[in-house]
Amino acid sequence: MRVLMVASECYPLVKTGGLADVVGALPGALAEAGTETRVLLPNYPGVAQRAALGEAVAAFDHLFGGPARVLRAQADGAPELLVLDAPHLFDRPGNPYLGPDGLDWPDNHLRFAALARAAATCAAGGPDGWMPDLLHGHDWQAGLAAVYLASALPEPLVRPPVVFTVHNIAFPGLFPAETVPELGLPPSQFTPAGFEYYGQLSFMKAGLVFSDALTTVSPTYARELRTPRFGMGFEGVLEQRQADLIGILNGINEETWNPVADAALSARYSVDDLSGKAADRAALQAELGLDQDPTAFLLCVVSRLTDQKGLDLLADALPTLLGTGGQLALLGTGMPELEAAFQHEAETLPRRVAVRIGYDEALSHRMIAGADAIIVPSRFEPCGLTQMYGLRYGTVPIVARTGGLADSVVDANEAAVHAGVATGIVFDPNDPDGLRAALLRARMLFADRTAWRGLMLAGMRHKVGWARSAQRYRSLYDRLLATRSGRAPGA
Ligand code: ADP
């Protein structure tokens, strides 16, 4: 079976969040399940520098303002690629969505409509004879693919089915109504039943309405999305399409995130020999200027600093954490007021609180390996990856009971601890009191070395790879293709 994935990010070439990790890792896992995948990605400068570009599989004289081509490409550690080479849209350094002023590029609608249109063209097959059986789009940047595909390939027997995955509904891809004709979209679909979202065009809604099947990145988020609290105005359409919506929990890249072989660490360790973790802990304390105290309860955060991530709650609960002899190591970027609040704490108590503002992949590994616990107090969390890194590194997750956090961590209640299946602390309600109580509960468990070690080991044994989830995607693909007669997979 051949699958064309479409996304705006792909690890290790371009990443602003978990989307990139998923798009980077899922194709490899699908290959093990016998699926051949190509990922279509914009040719940002960072991609062009690292990828070896090959032959053109599609060309456009004029794609939203300039000529463009789709090229085959390969890069170390990345899936098989197609890149949309459209310099007028993508030859811009830095963040894939934001200009130097920190604001969205004003032509983002053109940029990602171009990506979707290129996907629809590639779905018809290229000169190398590679024709996908199925198109799989990720998040709003790929949302228009199903719409363009319907006009590019009108015959249902020729048109591959489209799977659309919601990684985060909070990014709806909204643009003014005037962009509908500019993007060549059918005006008849600019209605609440089509891609209109309260008077604006939503790329996300286009994906939700026009794709054949919908997935999101955890079973709990799939349920939450159908409620006003989490659905962000899309709950109605998701309720209507509930029969077509499934939650498949993300896995993590078990090669990149592997304490047994992690080159970023000063010492490596495994479930059979944890001694290296103590060395990583000491090294982290030294690197960050924290007290070299082997008994301190060292917690970490690796996160975007936004409302979603609930770190303002942590700022409020910090005195509780520090009051029990805890230490905090935080790595992140985002809202200036949150950055300033944590930096202020670090300046006040530099031996107990260390804050690094920025994006640093290697430091994120050292923090997650060196800490005793990782805190993820998100207000909503479609899946979340850092709690799974925590599990794999014996760094006990303390998470809010929402989305993929609820689906990936087993709370250390009495029964679960007794049965040896607990892997972390799952708390609700997610407010300062709830988080304070969770931190105190974690502190008590930490003091019980046997119980804590039980959590660490159960977490490290928990399966967080892609195998099971890739199998679920493959079953979904099979089901969709089985409903198409006259077009055998791979034909
Ligand atoms: P989201 O996609 O909402 O940001 P996820 O938990 O799904 O949240 O994925 C975040 C990814 O980005 C993880 O791989 C995490 O390690 C990484 N990450 C977030 N902030 C930083 C940072 N400041 N430095 C390094 N990696 C980071």
Side-chain angles (χ1 to χ4, degrees):
M1 181 189 299
R2 291 167 171 172
V3 175
L4 176 61
M5 287 203 184
V6 194
S8 57
E9 302 184 22
C10 179
Y11 181 86
L13 298 169
V14 47
K15 168 170 164 175
T16 70
L19 166 68
D21 291 309
V22 174
V23 176
L26 179 57
L30 281 168
E32 281 162 33
T35 312
E36 199 186 316
T37 308
R38 289 182 179 177
V39 175
L40 173 65
L41 190 71
N43 194 20
Y44 311 107
V47 173
Q49 277 156 20
R50 299 178 61 174
L53 303 183
E55 60 171 334
V57 299
F60 306 83
D61 293 337
H62 196 82
L63 185 65
F64 299 118
R69 295 176 306 164
V70 177
L71 307 172
R72 293 202 57 189
Q74 286 183 319
D76 276 350
E80 194 68 32
L81 298 171
L82 297 174
V83 297
L84 174 57
D85 187 46
H88 61 293
L89 300 172
F90 296 114
D91 189 10
R92 305 172 194 180
N95 183 290
Y97 317 114
L98 310 177
D101 53 6
L103 301 175
D104 287 341
W105 288 107
D107 59 349
N108 270 352
H109 59 301
L110 300 177
R111 301 172 78 221
F112 296 106
L115 182 67
R117 196 183 278 285
T121 302
C122 292
D128 61 352
W130 197 90
M131 187 169 170
D133 299 293
L134 193 135
L135 201 69
H136 185 163
H138 296 269
D139 263 354
W140 73 264
Q141 296 88 351
L144 295 184
V147 184
Y148 287 134
L149 192 60
S151 49
L153 295 174
E155 285 288 322
L157 285 183
V158 185
R159 196 190 313 152
V162 180
V163 175
F164 182 66
T165 298
V166 178
H167 294 260
N168 194 339
I169 204 102
F171 299 97
L174 291 183
F175 301 98
E178 299 76 70
T179 56
V180 170
E182 191 185 0
L183 298 178
L185 297 171
S188 59
Q189 297 295 350
F190 188 70
T191 66
F195 40 60
E196 181 194 338
Y197 178 89
Y198 301 101
Q200 290 187 281
L201 165 64
S202 164
F203 282 29
M204 175 70 82
K205 182 122 180 253
L208 297 179
V209 171
F210 295 99
S211 303
D212 298 277
L214 306 176
T215 75
T216 189
V217 290
S218 69
T220 295
Y221 193 55
R223 284 193 300 278
E224 289 173 341
L225 277 176
R226 294 177 5 228
T227 66
R229 179 164 164 219
F230 294 96
M232 311 233 171
F234 294 98
E235 58 274 13
V237 61
L238 287 162
E239 185 67 26
Q240 271 168 22
R241 296 218 60 192
Q242 62 166 297
D244 302 314
L245 169 67
I246 56 169
I248 302 177
L249 194 69
N250 286 337
I252 62 168
N253 185 330
E254 289 178 302
E255 281 173 30
T256 316
W257 292 94
N258 182 7
V260 176
D262 191 330
L265 309 185
S266 35
R268 277 151 284 281
Y269 58 93
S270 71
V271 72
D272 300 317
D273 178 5
L274 285 171
S275 52
K277 188 165 171 72
D280 286 325
R281 190 176 190 288
L284 182 66
Q285 285 172 326
E287 176 180 355
L288 299 179
L290 295 167
D291 274 335
Q292 290 286 131
D293 176 356
T295 63
F297 186 34
L298 172 53
L299 295 101
C300 78
V301 170
V302 176
S303 182
R304 292 185 290 122
L305 304 179
T306 64
D307 261 347
Q308 174 193 339
K309 300 293 179 180
L311 293 165
D312 50 316
L313 306 174
L314 179 62
D316 285 350
L318 206 54
T320 303
L321 171 64
L322 301 176
T324 61
Q327 296 182 340
L328 177 70
L330 179 142
L331 168 64
T333 49
M335 288 162 56
E337 56 274 34
L338 268 178
E339 293 183 356
F342 282 108
Q343 272 174 320
H344 174 74
E345 297 291 347
E347 280 155 22
T348 313
L349 285 170
R351 315 280 307 163
R352 310 280 301 284
V353 179
V355 172
R356 295 292 180 271
I357 300 299
Y359 191 95
D360 186 335
E361 196 80 31
L363 179 57
S364 75
H365 283 242
R366 293 197 295 279
M367 277 201 181
I368 290 172
D372 297 302
I374 181 161
I375 314 175
V376 194
S378 306
R379 292 196 163 84
F380 66 94
E381 192 58 78
C383 178
L385 295 174
T386 58
Q387 83 281 9
M388 294 202 257
Y389 303 155
L391 291 173
R392 186 137 164 92
Y393 279 66
T395 305
V396 173
I398 301 172
V399 302
R401 192 185 302 283
T402 186
L405 302 175
D407 291 337
S408 56
V409 181
V410 180
D411 180 54
N413 60 52
E414 288 279 327
V417 171
H418 189 67
V421 296
T423 58
I425 283 109
V426 186
F427 67 93
D428 62 22
N430 192 11
D431 57 22
D433 283 343
L435 179 54
R436 267 187 218 109
L439 292 172
L440 290 174
R441 194 149 69 90
R443 183 70 188 84
M444 276 171 61
L445 277 160
F446 182 70
D448 177 345
R449 294 312 294 164
T450 310
W452 192 260
R453 199 179 158 82
L455 294 185
M456 291 171 69
L457 295 180
M460 292 178 86
R461 291 193 181 107
H462 189 84
K463 292 206 184 328
V464 287
W466 269 104
R468 204 159 28 148
S469 296
Q471 204 55 57
R472 295 212 167 112
Y473 279 107
R474 176 60 201 241
S475 305
L476 171 66
Y477 297 163
D478 284 338
R479 222 164 46 236
L480 285 169
L481 290 180
T483 61
R484 311 250 147 172
S485 53
R487 191 164 188 272

